[in-house]
Amino acid sequence: MSPSPAPRPSALHRTGAFCARHPVWVITGWLLVLAAAFTARHAVGASYGDEVSLPGSRTAVGADLLERSDPAAGAPNGKVVLHVGSGRVSDHDTGLDATLDRLRDLPHVTAVSDPVTSSDGATAYTRVSFDEKLKSLGHAYTERLDEATAPARDAGIEVAYGGDLHDIVRTPADDTLAEAVGVSAALVVLLLAFGSVAAALMPLVTALIGVGVGMGVVGIVAGTLTFATAAPTLATMIGLGVGIDYALFLITRFRQYLIDGEDPQEAVGRTTAVSGKAVLVAAVTVAVALLSLYACGLTMIGRLGLAATIAVVVTAAAALTLVPAAMGLVGRRVDLIRVRRRPVAESAGDHDGWHRYARVVARRPWTFFTAGFLLMALCAVPLFSLRLGHIDDGADPVGSTTRTAYDWLADADGPGFGPGANGPFTLVVDLTRATGSADRVADRLTDTLATTDGVARVTPPRPSRDGRLLVATVVPTTGPQSADTDALFATLTDTAVPEALKGTGASGYLTGTTAGRLAFRDTVTERLPLIIGIVLVAAFLLLTVVFRSLVIPLKAVVLNVLTTGASYGILVAVFQWGWGDSLLGMSEPVPIESYVPMMMFAIVFGLSMDYEIFLLSRIAEEWHATHDNEQAVGTGLALTGRVISCAALIMTAVFLSFTRSPTVVVKMLALGLAVSVVLDATVVRLVLVPSLMFLMGRANWWLPRRLDRVLPRTTV
């Protein structure tokens, strides 16, 4: 009887072996793709902007009515703020008049209002309207503004730019330093983990190439779709983190095979077949979590998820092809230029520190589970004080032109000034179906709003050019990011305006930048549960298929939610409560940006599942080989503890380096992701997961037989 033929190698095994046999061609191909991606990115002219669209919302309806009735009223605009240390701005009328004339002559400027002056005359501002979105004018337009305002400066008037002019004058974030710091920190961790320069450089170089290609693709797509300004930074941050981690897991397994005496090319093929499948499942999980952001119906957030997904997909492709090519090229020289005497791979033996730790957890699972759970719960406590909002110019660095303009307007007295001047509401009243006169409606509005708590001033409602609308400006007593302004928006929308218009047949809408951002926040809050539900269900189904268990996916979902809650709590403590915010270059506490929790949930859940899959895949290997739960959990923990810890250190270093960004939202995401990775890779993966699996025993692998027959067959 002839022996049965050997099983055909998997597609991943064949891919890895091919790349190992032809490393020069594969590496050259990636470098050519990198060059082509960057060339195409510059050719298409990427477009980035933070415009929020809420079709059908009351703020959008009000804006549409205003634009149709008076296009000039809805034109993009900003404020040029003028200030003198002593005397009055009007004392320098020659320089002031020349500046106003020059502003009117600027390209794309359609109108320049007469200056509004404070009670003491020391501060004034003029509103400048444009015929294009301010973001499209680019940062270079700042030079034109400076040239136009030069006469005022020469006359002794200080000038700053506020309102929506921040889209022009804010210096584009340069994350080169952050990337350099993150890469340097990653190199140090890799040297300590691998013990040789060659092994440390491989994951770093391959990840950088993958991220470079990914950013080129993001730029190409941005030529068609407008991404948020934070999209490139977010994509770089996520791509660099997962790219290094994926390469780290592959190279660690490869070195273990070499230590076990395997041929280098066969070791590459087996590595790609085994750890490569875990990388593939992890990348798919992250991509699903990020793309689920589209389900919220908010284009800006969905596209942020798309940009990060592109980076993850490209870096995963690099991990499955470029890393095997690098391993094939290096072969047994992976330990070239050692920095310590005995480099290790997955394990240093059955009696190393990780094996001893696994045995301690197995002896006292309740102790470890209780301690880990209490720590995570404590971190999550501030979550119950979470307040979503929008971060205004008052959080910009002290000395920046936007912060200076904000402070001058907030500190001055008189009509049009005070903290609320930085974020007024525009009230639009539709008179199309009104039963009474416009004057009667205007009087009722003025009387009601003037006595509403939180309103500093209301301009007399004026009719639009076609007479179909009444338009008024409502100035709050507090700044745009204040909780009192949030409350006023709700009062005006739900109570004050409807009561003032009751019985008149007219309809009122609050619009403007501040109203739009608060409406956006309310929409995000309303749809966050939908995103959470989609991600949880998708992750549960994926893990059920992969690990053939109902208990393991349920545990993973619950613990990942716990990680997210703890990360939210620390974010609230740092940014909203102001604990240590000065270390991040913040000048004051701020609310949590409305879309950060939604973004963080998708990203944190995806990254948490990375570590979950790498840990459980090792445990599952041992379980299927021995069917001894305690041995499987202990061995899986011991074999992955070192690499998960190193991967977490690398990703944390990468994320923390981006807290140097001048953009507060990037700081929030960077710190939140760094904290989540630390908590997940230490408390969750190395304490809660193994202790729970020790406690549950064979029940970890429970799956009803009928369901087992229905589910598709796959493993990690």
Side-chain angles (χ1 to χ4, degrees), residues 479-671:
Q481 71 183 24
S482 169
D484 292 333
T485 302
D486 298 354
L488 176 61
F489 175 72
T491 299
L492 293 174
T493 302
D494 301 334
T495 308
V497 173
E499 287 184 357
L501 299 177
K502 188 175 182 180
T504 65
S507 302
Y509 306 90
L510 281 182
T511 187
T513 301
T514 302
R517 286 167 176 165
L518 292 175
F520 178 76
R521 177 209 60 186
D522 294 342
T523 304
V524 168
T525 304
E526 175 187 327
R527 298 178 185 178
L528 180 58
L530 173 64
I531 298 299
I532 292 175
I534 290 174
V535 173
L536 295 184
V537 171
F540 181 84
L541 293 176
L542 178 65
L543 292 182
T544 299
V545 171
V546 170
F547 292 109
R548 319 299 297 177
S549 166
L550 290 180
V551 176
I552 285 177
L554 181 62
K555 171 189 60 62
V557 164
V558 171
L559 291 181
N560 285 353
V561 170
L562 187 61
T563 299
T564 306
S567 305
Y568 284 176
I570 292 176
L571 215 59
V572 169
V574 172
F575 288 94
Q576 192 175 309
W577 293 358
W579 290 6
D581 55 357
S582 60
L583 297 176
L584 298 175
M586 301 286 296
S587 57
E588 61 180 20
V590 296
I592 304 303
E593 183 66 40
S594 56
Y595 63 86
V596 163
M598 184 179 286
M599 290 295 306
M600 266 191 62
F601 180 81
I603 298 170
V604 168
F605 201 91
L607 296 180
S608 298
M609 295 306 293
D610 273 6
Y611 296 134
E612 181 80 1
I613 288 169
F614 287 124
L615 171 60
L616 290 180
S617 63
R618 254 323 202 169
I619 293 175
E621 278 187 63
E622 296 297 324
W623 165 254
H624 292 305
T626 66
H627 286 279
D628 183 329
N629 180 73
E630 185 168 323
Q631 180 180 336
V633 175
T635 302
L637 174 61
L639 292 179
T640 59
R642 176 179 289 103
V643 69
I644 286 179
S645 300
C646 292
L649 275 174
I650 291 168
M651 197 174 286
T652 300
V654 170
F655 289 156
L656 284 179
S657 67
F658 282 88
T659 59
R660 298 177 57 90
S661 172
T663 306
V664 178
V665 173
V666 173
K667 291 180 186 288
M668 280 188 182
L669 285 170
L671 181 66

Side-chain angles (χ1 to χ4, degrees), residues 243-290:
I244 295 175
D245 274 10
Y246 293 163
L248 175 65
F249 281 105
L250 288 165
I251 295 170
T252 300
R253 177 64 72 97
F254 170 67
R255 293 183 71 214
Q256 187 64 53
Y257 284 144
L258 292 182
I259 291 173
D260 293 341
E262 293 214 11
D263 174 74
Q265 285 194 7
E266 177 60 21
V268 173
R270 287 190 63 189
T271 296
T272 312
V274 180
S275 293
K277 195 165 187 179
V279 167
L280 188 60
V281 173
V284 169
T285 307
V286 176
V288 169
L290 290 169

Side-chain angles (χ1 to χ4, degrees), residues 17 27 45 96 99 113 136 202 249 314 334 352 368 376 451 477 515 537 554 577 592 601 624 639 652 656 708 716:
I27 294 171
L96 178 60
T99 286
S113 69
S136 66
M202 271 199 295
F249 281 105
V314 174
V334 67
D352 69 355
F368 278 86
M376 297 293 283
T451 58
T477 56
V537 171
L554 181 62
W577 293 358
I592 304 303
F601 180 81
H624 292 305
L639 292 179
T652 300
L656 284 179
D708 187 35
V716 184

